[in-house]
Amino acid sequence: MKKSVLNDPRVMYHSDKFPVQKTQAEPALQSQMQPRPDCGEASYVGTGKLLNRKALVTGADSGIGRAAAIAFAREGCDVAIQFVPGEEADAKEVKGYIEDEGRQAFLLPCDLRDEGAASWIVHETVDAFGGLDLLVLNSAMQVAIETLADLPIQQVEDTFKVNVISMFESVQAAQKHLLPGSSIITTTSSQSFDPSPQLLDYAATKSAISNLTVNLAQYFADKGVRVNAVSPGPVWTPLQLNKGQLPGQLPNFGQGSLIGRAGQPAELAHMYVYLASDDASFVTGQIYGINGGTNINL
């Protein structure tokens, strides 16, 4: 029988249960995770799809944002990296990967809950790079709760500030800099379409992001700016170790997906590149699920 050249998606990445590990204090660091997420550091190979473009990626120190930032740099893009203060170690690693490609990297430590922070990162990126072509709004807050009674209203406010309100502010600040051909990419979630009770506030923000993405695509259409979203499912990122899962649930994280495992950030990088590039010139107002099989219905 001829040997297959195909790869079984069920075992291409980490497919076992995750080891028990301590919940990290905020902010959680990718460097302390076991196993470390695969963000394409050793595998992503660029082909110049984003040559000389200038990008701002929020939450780019780790996880999905990190994978997108590394991929963008290997496609020829300069990248500004927003991250929460305390995540400098992870952010400096990403900066190194970007500069290894001969591209500019710019670190932007700030908490998106702070007033004016979301517009500040846009202004700083434009000042550093002389423009802005790609805006990737990926930063997120996720804290699981046992019951509705356990959900502090302050947490609800903070989650909406980071996940939704900062998006409005960043887009408002960026719109005058986005020329025809620019692209805005948001990160929503399968929680937008299939919410979990332990993630009431997080799921609500992701639903808002899905709606906002489709709406912004209409707003920016006559300006030549495309707006799309990536919708991850269970992906192994530091978000899960910073109270993102209920106690005891982490070992089984992602095991219930149709593929039978959690995803890795590297598996999403190509979609961000596609949506940022001219390959997606006829694509706007779309939400792409990379989630192990969760159905998407807006």
Side-chain angles (χ1 to χ4, degrees), residues 124-235:
E124 290 292 305
T125 299
V126 172
D127 286 346
F129 293 161
L132 179 63
D133 306 312
L134 306 172
L135 180 61
V136 179
L137 301 171
N138 165 79
S139 188
M141 177 177 173
Q142 173 186 319
V143 178
I145 47 95
E146 290 275 5
T147 69
L148 179 58
D150 298 321
L151 178 59
I153 293 303
Q154 185 61 58
Q155 177 182 313
V156 177
E157 292 179 357
D158 287 348
T159 304
F160 270 85
K161 282 180 181 177
V162 173
N163 297 7
V164 180
I165 295 173
S166 70
M167 285 194 179
F168 277 93
E169 185 179 334
S170 290
V171 172
Q172 279 188 326
Q175 63 175 333
K176 64 183 178 183
H177 303 291
L178 298 174
L179 301 177
S182 297
S183 177
I184 299 172
I185 306 170
T186 67
T187 300
T188 181
S189 169
S190 59
Q191 288 291 320
S192 172
F193 314 99
D194 185 22
S196 302
Q198 69 269 24
L199 297 174
L200 283 167
D201 53 332
Y202 175 82
T205 65
K206 291 301 178 175
S207 183
I209 292 169
S210 295
N211 184 286
L212 176 62
T213 301
V214 174
N215 210 345
L216 283 175
Q218 298 178 73
Y219 176 82
F220 278 103
D222 64 358
K223 300 170 179 59
V225 176
R226 296 179 297 101
V227 186
N228 295 285
V230 178
S231 178
V235 178

Side-chain angles (χ1 to χ4, degrees), residues 47-53 72 75 133-134 179-183 185 224-226 228 270-284:
T47 58
K49 291 180 181 293
L50 304 177
L51 190 61
N52 296 325
R53 300 191 187 186
F72 278 21
E75 295 292 352
D133 306 312
L134 306 172
L179 301 177
S182 297
S183 177
I185 306 170
V225 176
R226 296 179 297 101
N228 295 285
H270 287 278
M271 181 56 72
Y272 286 89
V273 169
Y274 169 69
L275 293 174
S277 75
D278 290 342
D279 287 348
S281 57
F282 198 52
V283 178
T284 196

Side-chain angles (χ1 to χ4, degrees), residues 236-263:
W236 185 238
T237 74
L239 203 63
Q240 311 309 326
L241 271 71
N242 186 18
K243 302 179 181 178
Q245 298 293 314
L246 293 175
Q249 289 190 346
L250 200 61
N252 293 315
F253 179 69
Q255 301 295 305
S257 73
L258 292 185
I259 298 297
R261 61 170 175 83

Side-chain angles (χ1 to χ4, degrees), residues 3-159:
K3 185 177 179 180
S4 174
V5 297
L6 302 177
N7 296 309
D8 186 340
R10 298 170 297 177
V11 295
M12 282 182 66
Y13 293 86
H14 182 87
S15 56
D16 297 327
K17 291 186 176 183
F18 291 100
V20 176
Q21 47 203 294
K22 291 182 179 179
T23 297
Q24 293 189 35
E26 185 179 356
L29 296 175
Q30 177 159 309
S31 56
Q32 297 179 10
M33 297 178 68
Q34 295 296 330
R36 285 192 62 162
D38 184 345
C39 293
E41 294 94 339
S43 61
Y44 191 94
V45 178
T47 58
K49 291 180 181 293
L50 304 177
L51 190 61
N52 296 325
R53 300 191 187 186
K54 308 171 193 308
L56 166 59
V57 183
T58 65
D61 58 293
S62 63
I64 295 168
R66 179 188 182 107
I70 292 171
F72 278 21
R74 291 181 181 169
E75 295 292 352
C77 189
D78 298 328
V79 186
I81 304 162
Q82 180 274 331
F83 61 97
V84 177
E87 298 174 335
E88 284 81 2
D90 284 349
K92 287 179 180 177
E93 284 186 356
V94 180
K95 183 175 185 287
Y97 284 116
I98 294 169
E99 292 177 340
D100 285 346
E101 302 303 318
R103 307 310 308 182
Q104 293 185 70
F106 186 51
L107 298 182
L108 293 165
C110 75
D111 189 328
L112 293 175
R113 291 174 291 189
D114 294 342
E115 185 175 354
S119 53
W120 177 79
I121 59 175
V122 172
H123 299 322
E124 290 292 305
T125 299
V126 172
D127 286 346
F129 293 161
L132 179 63
D133 306 312
L134 306 172
L135 180 61
V136 179
L137 301 171
N138 165 79
S139 188
M141 177 177 173
Q142 173 186 319
V143 178
I145 47 95
E146 290 275 5
T147 69
L148 179 58
D150 298 321
L151 178 59
I153 293 303
Q154 185 61 58
Q155 177 182 313
V156 177
E157 292 179 357
D158 287 348
T159 304

